[in-house]
Amino acid sequence: MSWTSLIVYVDDEADNPARLIEACALARAYGARLIGVSGCAPETPVADAYGAGILLGEVMAAQQARNETTLKSAQQRFRTAVEAAGVEGDWRGDVGDPTALTLRHLRAADAALVGRDAGGISAWRAPHPADLAMRAGRPVVVLPPNPVR
C-alpha cells in the first residue's frame, strides 16, 4: 500500500501531541504530504428568549472569536510538529462541524488519523471516529491516547 497524502485531525485534547508525532512519522515513512485539519462548530447558546435574548448576538460573536483563536492555536501546533519532523504539510481549518469538515477534506487524502471518541470532549470540537469510518470511503486510523511503538 502506498500513501501520498494523510490527514491528521488537530485538536487541543491531551492525546493530540502523540497523534501529531505518529502522523508525522507515518508521513515521513511513506514520503506523504500531511494535511492538518481542525474544526469547531459554534455551540448553540442556551438563552432565555425573554430575558437574555438581547445578548444572544454578543454571545455568538464571543463564540466565533473563541473558535477562531482555537483554530489558530491548532494551526500553530500542526506547523510546529511538521517543521520539527521535516515533512511537507498543508493546513485546513474552519469553523464548522468537525466530522463534516474532515470528510470534505478527506477527499484529498488517502487516509485519516484521528483520536478516539473521548467521552468528555464536545461534539462541537472533534469528529466522531465511527461516523468517519462509515462515511469516509477511505481508511480511518483511530489512534489511542498513548500509542506504543
Side-chain angles (χ1 to χ4, degrees), residues 19-142:
R19 188 181 326 140
L20 284 171
I21 290 169
E22 293 299 320
C24 288
L26 276 174
R28 189 173 43 250
Y30 283 96
R33 176 177 53 117
L34 189 61
I35 302 169
V37 173
S38 188
C40 42
E43 296 181 39
T44 305
V46 178
D48 175 14
Y50 297 106
I54 56 174
L55 300 175
L56 193 57
E58 292 177 15
V59 169
M60 293 185 78
Q63 284 182 348
Q64 179 73 14
R66 184 184 67 206
N67 288 341
E68 289 174 1
T69 301
T70 300
L71 289 174
K72 285 179 185 175
S73 174
Q75 180 182 14
Q76 184 58 42
R77 285 193 309 278
F78 174 75
R79 296 272 184 225
T80 301
V82 166
E83 288 175 16
V87 296
E88 183 183 342
D90 294 327
W91 175 254
R92 299 176 184 173
D94 199 3
V95 175
D97 174 52
T99 302
L101 181 75
T102 305
L103 285 168
R104 186 172 63 236
H105 292 299
L106 192 51
R107 296 176 189 159
D110 298 313
L113 292 95
V114 297
R116 278 193 327 202
D117 187 18
I121 192 168
S122 169
W124 305 101
R125 301 287 305 280
H128 193 276
D131 284 349
L132 286 177
M134 295 302 292
R135 297 170 53 195
R138 287 170 173 70
V140 176
V141 180
V142 182

